[in-house]
Amino acid sequence: MNIRVVVADDQEMVRSGFAMILNAQADIEVVGEASDGAEAVELARRLQPDVVLADIRMPRLDGLEVTRLLADTMRVVVVTTFDLDEYVYAALRNGACGFLLKDAGPALLVEAVRAAVSGDTLISPSVTVRLLKHITKPSGRPPSLPESLTERETDVLRLVARGKTNADIAAELFIALGTVKTHVASLQRKLDVRNRTAVAAWAWENGLVA
């Protein structure tokens, strides 16, 4: 079944761009577009989508209030141009299932929607690194890696922790994008964590990143 999405943004070009990217996916369908927060809430309650993409700054109701009103019954991913910590914390406190910068690129937009449906939280990599610096403290002990991690997986682990996207990692390590995805999935399994953010948190907490 298709993942049904409502896109809320006060800029028509942004809405159209997101809709074009998402509708190009075989498993995703944009079922509605809203130009302000109040319309987004009304539309979402009527259409009952799987995911709502909500901009932070919108007329009538902002994306944080939209998130607060909808998060109990559906998954909301906040998308914004404003890379401010207070927005990130407020969005997550209000129940957002993701926080994405608009310049994160099409691949992360699609990944954020799919992650939300699967119960994961995806945060833009650059934001993730900054958050981790605030919420994790180095243990002071030497890094301790699971024996099952390969050298290449360790390379990928460090780059994920530094906020690199899959495309960035593929370019830096001269490997295929699909290989990066395989390594990230393997890291999640071996470290017994649920998502990419948790992989990065593990690396920071265990002293793999200075």
Side-chain angles (χ1 to χ4, degrees), residues 1 23 32 45 64 68 84 89 105 110 118-119 150 159 162 165 191 196:
M1 294 181 63
N23 283 330
R45 287 173 172 169
L64 299 177
R68 188 186 68 79
L84 301 175
Y89 296 134
V110 173
S118 67
T150 66
L159 292 172
R162 292 190 179 108
T165 66
L191 300 177
R196 186 188 192 91

Side-chain angles (χ1 to χ4, degrees), residues 102-113:
K102 289 182 180 178
D103 62 2
L108 272 183
L109 178 67
V110 173
E111 190 176 345
V113 169

Side-chain angles (χ1 to χ4, degrees), residues 178-198:
T179 302
V180 177
K181 293 178 180 178
T182 299
H183 286 319
V184 172
S186 179
L187 286 168
Q188 290 176 206
R189 184 179 68 256
K190 290 181 178 181
L191 300 177
D192 192 25
V193 297
R194 292 187 58 194
N195 54 42
R196 186 188 192 91
T197 302

Side-chain angles (χ1 to χ4, degrees), residues 4-32:
R4 302 170 71 252
V5 180
V6 163
V7 177
D9 195 291
D10 60 346
Q11 298 182 49
E12 184 178 358
M13 288 183 62
V14 173
R15 295 197 307 272
S16 299
F18 284 175
M20 182 176 65
I21 292 166
L22 295 174
N23 283 330
Q25 308 303 309
D27 59 336
I28 300 176
E29 177 188 6
V30 174
V31 296

Side-chain angles (χ1 to χ4, degrees), residues 4-210:
R4 302 170 71 252
V5 180
V6 163
V7 177
D9 195 291
D10 60 346
Q11 298 182 49
E12 184 178 358
M13 288 183 62
V14 173
R15 295 197 307 272
S16 299
F18 284 175
M20 182 176 65
I21 292 166
L22 295 174
N23 283 330
Q25 308 303 309
D27 59 336
I28 300 176
E29 177 188 6
V30 174
V31 296
E33 298 180 24
S35 59
D36 64 63
E39 183 184 6
V41 171
E42 186 278 325
L43 200 60
R45 287 173 172 169
R46 176 161 53 86
L47 297 177
Q48 292 295 303
D50 300 297
V51 179
V52 176
L53 290 178
D55 186 22
I56 286 282
R57 296 188 178 180
M58 292 186 291
R60 298 207 284 172
L61 293 176
D62 65 21
L64 299 177
E65 182 65 9
V66 169
T67 303
R68 188 186 68 79
L69 292 171
L70 296 178
D72 285 343
T73 55
M74 61 194 68
R75 303 193 178 278
V76 182
V77 175
V78 172
V79 187
T80 182
T81 55
F82 301 99
D83 184 7
L84 301 175
D85 287 349
E86 57 264 35
Y87 284 162
V88 184
Y89 296 134
L92 296 178
R93 278 198 305 269
N94 285 2
C97 291
F99 190 96
L100 202 63
L101 299 180
K102 289 182 180 178
D103 62 2
L108 272 183
L109 178 67
V110 173
E111 190 176 345
V113 169
R114 291 176 178 152
V117 170
S118 67
D120 288 339
T121 298
L122 190 149
I123 304 174
S124 278
S126 61
V127 177
T128 298
V129 170
R130 200 172 62 248
L131 286 179
L132 290 172
K133 288 179 179 178
H134 289 307
I135 65 176
T136 64
K137 296 180 180 179
S139 63
R141 63 180 183 272
S144 177
L145 290 169
E147 293 182 1
S148 59
L149 286 192
T150 66
E151 183 178 349
R152 182 58 86 194
E153 286 171 345
T154 304
D155 292 338
V156 172
L157 174 59
R158 288 193 170 100
L159 292 172
V160 168
R162 292 190 179 108
K164 302 293 186 180
T165 66
N166 285 348
D168 293 334
I169 296 170
E172 187 158 336
L173 298 180
F174 302 102
I175 57 178
L177 186 59
T179 302
V180 177
K181 293 178 180 178
T182 299
H183 286 319
V184 172
S186 179
L187 286 168
Q188 290 176 206
R189 184 179 68 256
K190 290 181 178 181
L191 300 177
D192 192 25
V193 297
R194 292 187 58 194
N195 54 42
R196 186 188 192 91
T197 302
V199 168
W202 189 97
W204 280 90
E205 289 168 352
N206 286 274
L208 264 72
V209 187

